[in-house]
Each structure stands twice: as structure tokens, then as C-alpha cells.
């Protein structure tokens, strides 16, 4: 018996073959639809809106998008196409080719993932890929406290994790819960608590 394996798509093939409607990622060479609940969208939208307000207030040279897809590479050298729930991008990078689709190969400034049932992707796979790409800041918003106890503690509580790249190119993690004011190098004047994001 002959077994045929479907060839894995490259990032460029993924961009060419992704459907026009909906949101998709390239995962292990296959196009995977990214779907979310209304609660998930509310948390992501609140986070994005908070960033946009600070950008406008401080006149910063950034844009915030929920459509941007960028190329990452796994430890095994497999190309992935990731679409964070919130992407915080240098405006000059975003506008370098305004006729292009929302795909990037350079690291963005900040990626935010709101966890869902595939939480391992955010805590393990994307964490590794974003670190490998050199994204300076990565947030995981676990509003459902769905991640493993080794991350969330016991009892598990909804948490915002902020990962910052250190001088060795590795992420260092800080966690924020409840009334904790989120400390952000990007937005040093940001007055936002973990609870405001987690219960949006």
C-alpha cells in the first residue's frame, strides 16, 4: 500500500491559499482557521483599544492591528504563520508597503495572545516562536485561567503574563492579577489593571 503525505505549505503558499474571509494561521504546514468566542473578542478588543488610546494620547509612532500575520520558525525549522489577537507594530514598518497584504516577516513590537482551549499554543509554541523571532514583548491574557497550574499557580486565577526579552534574547515573565497595575515599558504611563483586561 502506498501512503501519500500532503506537502507542507510554506509561508508564501499560505498567504496565497488562505481564504479571503475569516482569520487563519499556518500551523505545521497546514492552514488552520482561528475562531474565537465573543468573550475572547471583548478581551482582545479592550486591550487593543487601550493601546490605541495611549498611542493617540502620547502621539506614538505605532499602529495596533488584529489582522496582521507574521512568519515565525519553529525549533525544527518549520515555517509558521501566526496571527496574534493584538499586534502592536511600528507604523513605519506597517506603512513601508501599504499595497501589501497584512503579512510581515520582521518582528513586531508586541504580540498579545488571549488564551482559549488551545492554550498550549500560546504558552509553549508561540512563546518559543516569538522569542526566536525576537519580538521584544509578548503578553498572554489568560482570562479563563485555563493554562496549566505551573503557570497560574494553585488555585488557578485569571492572569496577564508579560514576557520581556532580556539581553540574552530570552523571555523573562512577570504575572499580573486582580488589581495589579500592569507595568509596561512600551506604555510607562499606562493606568490599566489586570482585572480591567481580564473582565472586559
Amino acid at each position: 500500500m502506498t501512503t501519500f503525505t500532503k506537502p507542507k505549505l510554506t509561508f508564501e503558499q499560505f498567504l496565497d491559499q488562505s481564504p479571503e474571509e475569516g482569520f487563519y494561521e499556518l500551523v505545521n504546514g497546514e492552514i488552520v482557521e482561528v475562531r474565537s468566542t465573543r468573550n475572547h473578542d471583548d478581551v482582545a478588543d479592550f486591550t487593543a483599544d487601550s493601546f490605541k488610546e495611549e498611542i493617540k494620547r502620547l502621539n506614538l509612532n505605532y499602529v495596533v492591528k488584529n489582522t496582521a500575520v507574521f512568519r515565525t520558525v519553529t525549533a525544527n525549522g518549520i515555517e509558521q504563520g501566526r496571527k496574534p489577537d493584538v499586534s502592536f507594530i511600528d507604523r513605519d514598518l506597517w506603512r513601508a508597503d501599504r499595497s501589501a497584504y497584512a503579512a510581515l516577516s520582521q518582528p513586531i513590537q508586541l504580540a498579545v495572545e488571549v488564551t482559549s482551549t488551545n492554550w498550549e499554543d500560546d504558552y509553549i509554541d508561540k512563546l518559543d516562536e516569538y522569542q526566536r523571532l525576537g519580538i521584544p514583548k509578548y503578553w498572554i491574557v489568560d482570562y479563563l485561567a485555563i493554562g496549566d497550574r505551573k503557570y497560574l499557580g494553585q488555585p488557578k486565577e485569571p492572569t496577564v503574563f508579560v514576557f520581556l526579552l532580556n539581553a540574552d534574547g530570552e523571555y523573562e515573565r512577570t504575572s499580573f492579577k486582580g488589581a495589579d497595575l500592569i507595568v509596561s515599558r512600551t506604555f510607562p504611563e499606562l493606568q490599566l489593571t489586570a482585572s480591567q483586561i481580564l473582565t472586559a
Side-chain angles (χ1 to χ4, degrees), residues 75-95:
N76 299 327
I78 297 171
E79 284 187 311
Q80 308 276 65
R82 297 300 191 178
K83 188 201 78 61
D85 294 298
V86 181
S87 293
F88 186 80
I89 308 166
D90 181 279
R91 182 181 282 126
D92 294 336
L93 171 63
W94 180 257
R95 293 188 172 180

Side-chain angles (χ1 to χ4, degrees), residues 126-172:
K126 291 180 183 179
L127 180 75
D128 178 67
E129 291 167 34
Y130 293 175
Q131 177 179 279
R132 190 177 304 282
L133 182 59
I135 293 176
K137 293 168 278 297
Y138 173 42
W139 289 20
I140 295 177
V141 180
D142 195 342
Y143 74 102
L144 294 172
I146 200 171
D148 195 279
R149 284 190 177 91
K150 70 181 177 182
Y151 304 108
L152 295 168
Q154 179 67 24
K156 296 202 296 185
E157 294 178 59
T159 305
V160 176
F161 293 102
V162 174
F163 296 85
L164 299 174
L165 274 186
N166 63 22
D168 297 323
E170 296 178 351
Y171 279 136
E172 293 179 356

Side-chain angles (χ1 to χ4, degrees), residues 44-68:
D45 288 347
F46 178 83
T47 305
D49 290 345
S50 299
F51 290 168
K52 288 175 183 177
E53 287 171 13
E54 280 296 281
I55 289 169
K56 187 173 183 180
R57 188 176 75 81
L58 299 173
N59 195 28
L60 300 174
N61 194 43
Y62 296 105
V63 295
V64 177
K65 300 293 177 184
N66 71 345
T67 55

Side-chain angles (χ1 to χ4, degrees), residues 1-8 30:
M1 180 162 80
T2 306
T3 304
F4 294 96
T5 55
K6 191 175 175 182
K8 292 186 183 299
E30 296 183 0

